[in-house]
Each structure stands twice: as C-alpha cells, then as structure tokens.
Amino acid sequence: MANIDLDKMLAKVKSSQWALADIDWDAPGADLITEEQWPKLKAFMADLMWIEHVGARGFAAMAKKAPDDTLKQIYTYFHAEEQRHANAEMALMKRWGMLDGDELPEPNKNLKLVIQWLDKYSDDMPLEVLGSVIPMLEIALDGALCTFLLDTVDDPVCHQAFARINDDESRHLGVGFHVLEMQGRGDLYIKALKTVATVLDPRLILGIASYVPLLNRMRDNVVAMGLSEEKLYACMKKFERIGGRTAQGRRNPWYQIISRHGRMVVNRDNRAYHAPVDLMVRLTDYIPERLMPSRVPTWVKGISYRPTA
Amino acid sequence: MSNENEQNQNTTAPAPAAKKKKAATRKAAARPAAKKAAVKRKATARKKAVAAKSSRRSDAQSKRNAVKEASVVIVGAGFAGLGMAIRLRQAGVDDFVLLERADKVGGTWRDNTYPGAACDIPSHLYSYSFAPNPHWSRHFSGSAEILGYIEHLVKQYGLRDKIHFQQDVTDARFDETKGQWRVDTRQGDVWQGRAVVMAQGPLSNASFPDIEGLTDFKGKRIHSARWDHDYDFSGKRVAVIGTGASAVQIIPELAKTAGTLKVFQRTPAWVIPRPDYATPDWNKALFEKLPLTRKAMRQALYWTHETMALAVIWNSPLTRLAERLSLTHLRSQVKDDWMRRQLTPDFRIGCKRVLLSNDYYPALQRDNVDLITWPIARIAENGVRTCDGIEHQFDCIVFATGFDVPKSGTPFPIRGLNGRELGEEWSGGARAYKSVSVAGYPNLFFTFGPNSGPGHNSALVYMEAQLDYAVEGIRRILDHDLKILDVRESVQQRHNRHLQKRLARTNWNSGCKSWYLTEDGYNATMYPGFASQYRRQMSRFVDQHYRRVPQTGSA
C-alpha cells in the first residue's frame, strides 16, 4: 500500500519550497506560442488556473478536518502550494499577454458554481468526501492538462514552471492516495452508513451538481484544444488503478463512488450519463448572469502573477 | 539581541562539562571500591580548578573583584526580585543583594516598551497587595506606568543600595561544606550567600522563530522585547511576524504609522474583548482615602478571575461560553467571512494564552494592513517568501515571536550537591517542589519556577505566595543556622506525579502546541488549579518535607 511516513513527507514538503521569483518570467521563448494556439491556450490556461485555485480551497477545508497535526500541516502547505501553482500559471498568462491588464481572468460558469459551493459548504464536508474528490480532480484535470500543455507548448519557461508544479503535485497525489487508503481501514458497515448519510446531505448533492458538469466541460475544452480525450481518460483511470491497488483503498466507499463515476465519464457510449450531464453543461451557459452568484469570496482575490508584493 | 545571544552561550556552556562528569560517574560506579576515592579526587580537582580559575580571574582583573558576601543573593531586579527584597526586609532580613544584568530595574517591563505594550491583567490585581497603588490611571495599565510602579517600589522601600547593576550571573554553585552558594558574574565578580533566590524571570530572553534565512534579511529587524524607538515607521513597508499577546498590542499601533503592514499568522488565537477604561479622578481619590474600597476592588477582580479558571483551565460549559463570547467578538468586528475563517482558532480556548483586544481585528481590516496566513517558506534578502510563491518585500520586519521560556533548562549552570547540574536534570522538562524548591539544590528558591504559571489570574498573586514561602525557608536557614535546607527527593516526586496527573485533564494538555509545553508535550509551566489552591499550598511550609543539616553538625 502507499504507506508513506507523513512526518517525513512534511519535512520533504518544507524543504522543497520554491517561489515565483526563482523563475525568470521575462526569459526568451514567449514568442514560441503560435498565433493559432494563442486564443485556445488563453481559455485553457484560465481554466487550469482556476482549477488549481479551487483545489487550493479544497485543501484548506481538508486542513480543518485533518485527524492529526502532521496531516493538518501538510494540507496547510498543499493549500499554499496549489495557490502557488495558480499564481505561476497566471504569471505564464501574463508572459504570453493573455491577461486583460492586471485583471484576473473570469472563471467559466461551472467553475463559478464550484467556487460558490466550496466557499459555502466545503468546510462542512467530511474529510472522506474531499479526500476522494481532490485526488480525482488533481489526477484528472491537473495531471492530464499539464501533460497536454507540455506536449503542445514549446516555451522553455512554461516547461520550467511545470517541472516544479508537477514535482509538487506528485507529493499531493502521494498523500492523497495515502489518505484514501487510511480511510479505507476499519468497519466497512459504518463507513457505508456514513457514506449514505453524507450522500443524502443536500449540500453534497449541490456539490455533485457542480462537480459533475465541470468534468464534462473540461473534457469539451480539452477536445477543443486538440487533445485526444483518451489522454484525459487515461489519467482518470490512473485514479482507479492507484487508489484501488490495496484492499484498504478499495474498501473506501468514496473511492468506489468516485472511480465508478470516473468510469461513466470515460465511457462516451453511456448516454444515460452523458446526455443529461452535457445538457447540464449547456444549461449552465444559459444561467443568466444576474442569477449567477454575484458575491465573489475574498479567497478568490488572493491570486497574483507578481513574484514580489 | 546581544543579550539573548549571550544567554544562549550561557545555557549551552555546561554541556561538555556535564558529559565529562557523567562519564566520570559511570566509571566510578563500575569500581565501587574506588568510588569514594574517585569522587573525593574529583571534588578536590574541581575545587582546585575553581580556585585556580578564580585566582586567575582576580589576577587578570582588578583587585576589587574580591568575594562579596550577603545572607541572600537575589538574581534579577524585576517584579520578582524586588518583591523578594521587600518581603525579606519586612521579615527582618536586611542582609541581601540583588544582581541585575541590565543597568535599570524592571525586568520584562523595562524590556517590553513596544508601542501599545500593556498588561492583560487589571492593574489593581497586577500589583503587590503589600505595596498597593491607588493611582492606577487605567483598568489595564501600559508598560510605562507599570515600570513607574516598579521604580516607585525601589524608592519607597529604599532598595537602590541593595541593587548591583551590570551583574550578569553566569554560574551558581553550592558549596556543601560551607553551606554557601557561590555566584559568578560575567563582569568577574563573585558573590556568596547562604541562600539564593532565582528571580531572573521566565520571559526575559527574546526568541526568534526557526525560519530559514532569518539573518539574510537586509532591512531592519526589530524584536518586540528589544524595541528600537529611534526607527521611524512612517510610510515604511512593515511586516509583523507572530500574532500572540505582544503582536495584538503592536499591530493596532503600527497600523497607524506604517505605510503598509503585513501580519504573518501561523495559528489564530482566541481573542476576547478588553474591558479597559480610564479610572476617573474621584475613583482614584476614593481608593486613596478609603483603602477598603481598593481592597474590595482587588478582591472583586481576584474572584472574577478565579471563576475564569473554570473556562480556561478545564473543559466545562463555561469553556463553551467563553468560546462563544470570543466568536461573537470576531463576528461583530470582522465582516468578511474568509477573514473570519482565517481568524477562527481550531483548538479549545485556554489551550494557549487567551488574548484581550478591542482594536486588533479592526486594525487587520484597515486598507494599509494585510493578514497573511500562508506558511512562511523562508526569509530572503528583501523580505518574506510565503509558500504561495510570493516574496513580500519590506523595509522592516518586526518579530513578535515571544520568549525562550526555560521549560527544560536553566539560564546559567546551577550546580547543587555532589556536583549535580540542574540544566542537565531538567533537560526532559523542569520539575520542582511547589515550584520553589528543587531536591539536591539546597537553600535555593525559585520564583516563577516549574508549574507556577496561571492561565487565568494575576501572575503576581502567585508570586506573592512564592515570595512568602521563600521567606519562610530563608528564615529557617538564618534563624536556625542551617547549612542545608533541601527538599526531599521523594516528596518532590510525589508532588510532581500529582501535578502531572491533574495537568493531563487541563485544556493546556488538550492537543495544541504552545509555549507551555516542551517539544515532547510535557507541561513544566502551568499550575493546574485555582490561584486559591496554589496559595493554600504555599501557605504551609512543612518542615518534614525538607532535610535539614545544621551548620555545626555533620552532613
């Protein structure tokens, strides 16, 4: 099993910190972005940046729920690191001239809904839910999108930044799967009961309603960028493979739910799933602006492309 | 800064000597027949070395450094040392000296002069009952007024001649043949006393956080306890690291003058309102003319604080009530829900020190102030790098990071019977008897010793009890001409077992990290009970608990 020593992990995390100032954002190579790439890349980067930011908020909620001090500290660092990734990605956008002045790019509507949900309810969710969803988001979206980016973009600064980001993410995933397995230990019956009880929580249903279309929207965006969707699916299957490699991991009901859901997402022939979800994505676009959450939570404003402040 | 560096050198100095001693002791134990001879040889060698050292010192330095004697040597001239002097004098003991490392009295109230510095305990309770002051200008006085009170004590009790300034104690050792303590100072002076009172204060050495690159910063660094009053903050980019008791007092003041202020928080504390007010003149006059009213005020404050023990020390319904009060305070002062989340503690109230402030939360919301909760990755040449990858650049970093509280050591080597060294014995956590006496270190009295800290009441209430207890001990040594008055090891052990059992059930030991606990979670700092319980415990000096050796008799 992915049994890692959390104390050693915390020490490793502390010693592996980097800053935006470590990268020369004005180094040559920005012009390697082709004109054709530019508009799609802009939308893509904005989504990516927001996903990192949303992931960061997820870790903040997990830090509150962590069962021991070491894990709590690790999550506190991960929260900051996800924010750092968002900052670095924003710095790349700045470098590529994709920012409208100093403005933060608008999140798409599905992300807006997710942000709203995270802000309102994530602190109330049990660690099991976030502990399972976050690795999925990380592996599917972060992992797949980053690989794709490095395959298509030649700018050396982009590679430099993502080498560091991926390094951090590998630690996030290590801990993610460790916790997934940790929570798989113990009485299955109690866990199943707890899971059912949590699923019945209307706050979680709202969360699912935000998360599910987000995945499909990201798939559409990825396809629009020219990435074969199989690459995304390959990453999502990785969740099932790594999370399910031990009995403990498989015994975690949330692992079961998330990975089964992943299978449905990957299977395009499953019309029973995709038709309504795609509809949800399209419907989200029709939500009039005035009905969208108008209040932007303060944590959203914390992103910055500037290495110094 | 030089002070704490010197102090650190002090505390680390005894280690090699202690190791050698340990090795020697082990060898001696292996050969029981040779044990006595070895110990004797060792003792003689040590005495010779000490003699040689002191003769070298007196040769090298001036002849004025002859051994000076007093019945009682008091280390430190802060609240504790001066209180001890007053109580001794009132008990008829006048042959004492106070050794002070600085050139002024006042201890922590001389050192902590940062803007906004004040006491968190109402002044009528944070003062000596035997030296009342009816003129306190506010309910919670500022540091300058408290320092004024301390200086007034010196004048009122004529203590000036008893205080020897610039006497930084580096070593104290007990001579069991003579029943005398020998105290050496950095300045090369040697003092001898029948008894020694440790009144060096627990909060006397400034502590800097363990952050990488601390010395790389090229701008101005200021510690809250070593304030630089010449530094002009106006228009400057300023950082405050820490959000503890000093920080919540500094931040509202700095926010008014600094250009920008960024506050770096690791753990949010519980903050409750501070019911401060200026005492009207009629009230001061009343306290002066009718001392009974002042006494009644002190009693009222004392018992109000005693009730707080139920909320702060133990987990009770009052604990929930106190938490609700604090959260209501937060909700009413902070509008933004994310900031409220950042400022909400995730440990039980009382586990760490509870803070009192009305202007801390509003200060954080000023336009020129930012609260930063990202972990600090390192300090760089131009500022602080947080883990979200941003370098925050500053002209000045203020460290409101508190003090090195000696939980597992002594400020300088203290050698007791048979060459035992207290710092070594306390390396796993300090232990004493009733926080004042330590077995194996006769005729030595601690103030603010192990497990004497209150979480809910005035430290000076506890202090008075300690002073009076020490007077009882010192009177016995002097009146009965004792060579040795040493608490029995078994008594001390029983006392500590009992203490730790009770501490395990307190909020301090409920899981948070605080300066009350050692790295291993051992609580060597706090007293698990009401102040009244502590006072009752201290009011009895049980002679059977001490081993006594008269001057004329044999050991």
Side-chain angles (χ1 to χ4, degrees), chain A residues 6-22:
Chain A
L6 289 179
D7 287 314
K8 279 190 192 148
M9 176 56 88
L10 177 60
K12 176 80 189 147
V13 168
K14 283 184 180 172
S15 64
S16 312
Q17 293 300 315
W18 56 277
L20 262 59
D22 295 337

Side-chain angles (χ1 to χ4, degrees), chain B residues 178-226:
Chain B
K178 289 195 271 178
Q180 266 192 326
W181 279 94
R182 176 197 158 104
V183 174
D184 285 58
T185 70
R186 185 175 307 285
Q187 289 70 20
D189 294 284
V190 182
W191 299 85
Q192 261 181 7
R194 303 276 302 273
V196 166
V197 177
M198 293 285 290
Q200 82 287 359
L203 307 182
S204 48
N205 292 316
S207 124
F208 284 88
D210 180 22
I211 299 176
E212 196 193 328
L214 193 64
T215 50
D216 294 351
F217 183 60
K218 291 269 165 60
K220 177 84 180 165
R221 288 191 301 159
I222 298 180
H223 192 281
S224 56
R226 304 280 180 274

Side-chain angles (χ1 to χ4, degrees), chain B residues 285-545:
Chain B
L286 185 72
F287 284 153
E288 191 173 8
K289 296 211 168 83
L290 285 174
L292 258 181
T293 57
R294 185 188 39 73
K295 279 184 193 154
M297 176 71 167
R298 188 178 168 101
Q299 283 300 311
L301 289 171
Y302 174 77
W303 288 108
T304 316
H305 280 80
E306 278 293 77
T307 15
M308 285 182 201
L310 291 169
V312 175
I313 301 183
W314 301 282
N315 194 16
S316 77
L318 274 183
T319 312
R320 297 289 88 71
L321 197 68
E323 286 177 354
R324 211 170 301 160
L325 168 74
S326 173
L327 289 176
T328 310
H329 183 52
L330 174 65
R331 253 194 306 276
S332 71
Q333 290 203 326
V334 178
K335 294 289 157 257
D336 181 60
D337 50 6
W338 179 247
M339 189 183 228
R340 274 209 303 261
R341 186 188 186 278
Q342 288 175 306
L343 291 170
T344 306
D346 58 1
F347 54 89
R348 199 185 292 160
I349 198 167
C351 190
K352 285 165 177 273
R353 183 162 163 186
V354 180
L355 308 182
L356 276 75
S357 178
N358 299 335
D359 48 7
Y360 171 58
Y361 289 147
L364 290 178
Q365 295 168 86
R366 287 173 62 120
D367 288 340
N368 63 335
V369 181
D370 267 327
L371 172 68
I372 312 249
T373 52
W374 303 117
I376 294 177
R378 60 165 297 142
I379 291 179
E381 210 173 284
N382 296 314
V384 178
R385 285 188 180 181
T386 43
C387 292
D388 62 332
I390 307 294
E391 179 176 304
H392 303 266
Q393 301 191 329
F394 300 108
D395 301 309
C396 173
I397 301 179
V398 172
F399 292 89
T401 43
F403 305 89
D404 277 326
V405 183
K407 297 176 280 274
S408 52
T410 53
F412 45 80
I414 298 176
R415 293 173 224 279
L417 296 176
N418 304 319
R420 57 201 282 183
E421 206 276 306
L422 192 54
E424 195 188 337
E425 285 184 42
W426 278 1
S427 59
R431 286 163 178 81
Y433 173 62
K434 293 189 180 179
S435 77
V436 172
S437 309
V438 183
Y441 300 83
N443 309 2
L444 180 68
F445 302 90
F446 280 85
T447 63
F448 277 136
N451 301 106
S452 65
H456 68 289
N457 213 322
S458 170
L460 292 189
V461 166
Y462 287 64
M463 174 74 75
E464 282 190 19
Q466 293 157 27
L467 298 180
D468 291 348
Y469 189 86
V471 167
E472 286 289 316
I474 292 167
R475 285 289 300 267
R476 278 165 174 76
I477 294 169
L478 300 181
D479 296 354
H480 304 172
D481 202 18
L482 299 181
K483 186 154 60 170
I484 286 176
L485 180 70
D486 188 18
V487 66
R488 294 178 195 280
E489 192 91 48
S490 58
V491 171
Q492 178 175 315
Q493 277 173 7
R494 196 169 58 226
H495 177 77
N496 277 284
R497 268 198 304 275
H498 182 58
L499 267 183
Q500 290 300 324
K501 217 195 269 168
R502 277 168 58 189
L503 276 165
R505 292 192 291 263
T506 63
N507 289 343
W508 303 311
N509 291 33
S510 68
C512 71
K513 278 187 188 165
S514 72
W515 60 263
Y516 302 151
L517 309 180
T518 64
E519 281 296 313
D520 305 327
Y522 176 82
N523 192 333
T525 320
M526 307 304 274
Y527 175 74
F530 291 99
S532 312
Q533 283 175 292
Y534 185 82
R535 287 165 75 189
R536 196 176 328 117
Q537 150 190 300
M538 304 307 281
S539 65
R540 284 178 63 228
F541 194 103
V542 183
D543 284 301
Q544 294 90 310
H545 289 172

Side-chain angles (χ1 to χ4, degrees), chain A residues 285-297:
Chain A
D285 283 337
Y286 287 109
I287 301 177
E289 219 34 78
R290 67 190 162 82
L291 289 184
M292 284 301 286
S294 58
R295 206 186 114 286
V296 183

